Amino acid sequence: MTKTYGRFLTAFFCLFLGGLLVWHILLPDRAQSETENRTLAQLPAFSWESLKDGSYTAAVEEYFADQFPLRDGWTGLKARAERFIGKSEFNGVYLCGDTLISKVETPDGELVEKNLDYVRRLAEKTDIPVTLGLIPSAAEVWKEKLPAGAESWDQTALLGGSGIDFQEALAAHGDEPIFYRTDHHWTTLGAFYGANAILEALGMEPLKEDNFTPETASTDFNGTLYSQSGIHWLAPDTMEFWVEEDGLSVTSWQNGQMEEAALYDRSRLAVKDKYAAFLGGNQPLCVIRNENAPAGAGKLLMIRDSYSDALAPFLAQRFSEVHLLDLRYYRAPAAQYAAENGIDEICVLYSVQNFISDRNLVLLTQ
């Protein structure tokens, strides 16, 4: 390499970095990344204390990483380059043909035992039957799709302590699209099989697939794994709505106040986070009432994560009321809520991946 060529490369590299810096300064900071579906870091306030303890420099580093010009494009380019050299794991997500599957890290065993104990203590606090349901992730149900040698925590032992056998219900239909290809949630079809697993565990008549007419709600859903991995070249997912809203009313506390809502918030289909179309997305409390419920139908309380958003419309076919309580946002005692609202059955329903990391289940002991 000649000196002239070396100087040219150095100058070009410096101009490139300088140009990106100027571009970064001129561009307004973004509050949200629609592709990654998360809030982006903002420029931190300076203080001598934060500089001394290192938190300021860490926050600045995060800020520049989040606000980097064309961040989404660079993320996708990085994933393509890594795929070219043979990688199959991208930021905790495995590329399995045309499907993305999230890796499940080995959990903190002490936290898992605590969460199981919190559910047991809830059952001791109330005379209402309490059933635990743990939903296996795609990495468990679709093990055969994982790349050779791929690591993911074995969920079998934990699933054995679940009162609802989601594993068998989903595995029996493992050759069907029961999980999204670009998202960690189960599809509406998967939620249907999950609903029947719950009904059978509670000694109730399962639902018949022939009683539903699936509606294609969207053909361009790119989910959380699409965002997390940088794998942006797979075909989008199709989303379906199955349950007719006739006879069902939905009350939501989305914004902290009671308001009428719907089983399917179609306005969410126009944004990146299309899964939020199910019941309107995350919220502290939501209640579905069925005016056409069969005689003697009881009331169900679901202490749940986001998997239940696609599940609850099916369960509303067998219960007069389905109450969905999310401990991330609802802080009052669950046992008290159940007693005050005449609940007949309590189900603690979590995906395994959320259950093994959730730190809000301690609220069940209130």
Side-chain angles (χ1 to χ4, degrees):
M1 180 186 297
T2 65
K3 280 189 176 181
T4 302
Y5 184 62
R7 288 170 181 167
F8 168 75
L9 286 180
T10 302
F12 177 80
F13 186 66
C14 290
L15 284 172
F16 177 73
L17 291 180
L20 285 177
L21 178 61
V22 171
W23 194 359
H24 174 85
I25 293 171
L26 293 177
L27 281 176
D29 290 343
R30 296 187 300 159
Q32 187 83 12
S33 169
E34 192 164 290
T35 299
E36 297 178 73
N37 190 31
R38 68 178 181 89
T39 302
L40 297 177
Q42 303 298 301
L43 185 64
F46 175 81
S47 71
W48 288 110
E49 290 77 12
S50 62
L51 180 63
K52 283 188 284 186
D53 65 21
S55 60
Y56 178 75
T57 52
V60 168
E61 183 178 349
E62 183 183 5
Y63 163 72
F64 275 102
D66 275 8
Q67 300 296 340
F68 197 81
L70 301 179
R71 172 185 168 84
D72 296 339
W74 289 112
T75 302
L77 181 62
K78 175 177 178 289
R80 284 185 179 275
E82 291 177 338
R83 179 57 178 159
F84 180 75
I85 63 174
K87 282 194 65 173
S88 58
E89 181 186 345
F90 305 84
N91 198 24
V93 177
Y94 291 118
L95 176 60
C96 310
D98 66 346
T99 301
L100 299 173
I101 297 180
S102 180
K103 176 182 179 180
V104 180
E105 300 287 354
T106 301
D108 177 345
E110 184 177 349
L111 176 60
V112 174
E113 286 302 318
K114 284 182 178 179
N115 284 345
L116 290 170
D117 184 56
Y118 297 148
V119 177
R120 286 191 287 266
R121 289 166 66 181
L122 170 65
E124 293 169 358
K125 288 177 65 68
T126 177
D127 294 329
I128 302 169
V130 176
T131 305
L132 172 63
L134 297 176
I135 304 164
S137 75
E140 186 68 27
V141 180
W142 283 345
K143 281 181 179 179
E144 75 284 353
K145 293 189 178 186
L146 295 176
E151 296 180 358
S152 190
W153 182 64
D154 187 350
Q155 303 167 37
T156 308
L158 182 60
L159 291 168
S162 176
I164 302 168
D165 196 348
F166 288 117
Q167 171 68 3
E168 182 178 347
L170 294 174
H173 301 277
D175 58 345
E176 300 174 39
I178 51 178
F179 292 97
Y180 291 109
R181 293 178 300 98
T182 68
D183 192 75
H184 64 287
H185 291 104
W186 52 16
T187 60
T188 312
L189 177 63
F192 168 78
Y193 294 133
N196 275 343
I198 293 172
L199 294 173
E200 290 173 4
L202 297 179
M204 302 176 71
E205 182 185 355
L207 301 167
K208 296 179 180 179
E209 191 171 346
D210 292 344
N211 292 339
F212 301 94
T213 303
E215 170 200 347
T216 299
S218 174
T219 58
D220 61 349
F221 173 43
N222 291 308
T224 54
L225 303 184
Y226 164 96
S227 305
Q228 180 180 334
S229 66
I231 306 287
H232 297 162
W233 57 84
L234 299 184
D237 275 300
T238 295
M239 289 180 61
E240 293 181 340
F241 297 157
W242 281 35
V243 177
E244 296 287 339
E245 302 204 38
D246 293 346
L248 299 178
S249 62
V250 181
T251 306
S252 170
W253 280 260
Q254 184 88 42
N255 301 309
Q257 295 184 336
M258 185 176 68
E259 57 186 11
E260 291 185 6
L263 288 182
Y264 306 117
D265 183 350
R266 296 172 188 273
S267 68
R268 301 298 185 107
L269 297 174
V271 301
K272 168 67 171 58
D273 184 17
K274 289 179 172 56
Y275 187 80
F278 294 103
L279 296 180
N282 295 332
Q283 54 191 298
L285 182 64
C286 180
V287 180
I288 306 173
R289 293 182 173 85
N290 183 358
E291 64 183 38
N292 299 322
K299 299 181 181 181
L300 172 68
L301 172 62
M302 300 167 65
I303 300 171
R304 39 71 77 169
D305 63 10
S306 55
Y307 275 65
S308 291
D309 292 341
L311 175 72
F314 292 115
L315 295 176
Q317 309 302 303
R318 290 285 184 264
F319 290 91
S320 62
E321 295 182 9
V322 175
H323 298 239
L324 297 98
L325 189 155
D326 193 324
L327 296 177
R328 290 172 295 179
Y329 316 104
Y330 188 92
R331 317 306 285 185
Q336 179 181 334
Y337 178 90
E340 291 176 349
N341 288 275
I343 298 298
D344 299 292
E345 296 279 353
I346 300 174
C347 285
V348 180
L349 297 172
Y350 276 75
S351 62
V352 165
Q353 210 159 358
N354 284 335
F355 186 83
I356 62 177
S357 60
D358 194 283
R359 295 187 179 275
N360 296 301
L361 285 157
V362 65
L363 296 173
L364 295 178
T365 63
Q366 293 186 113

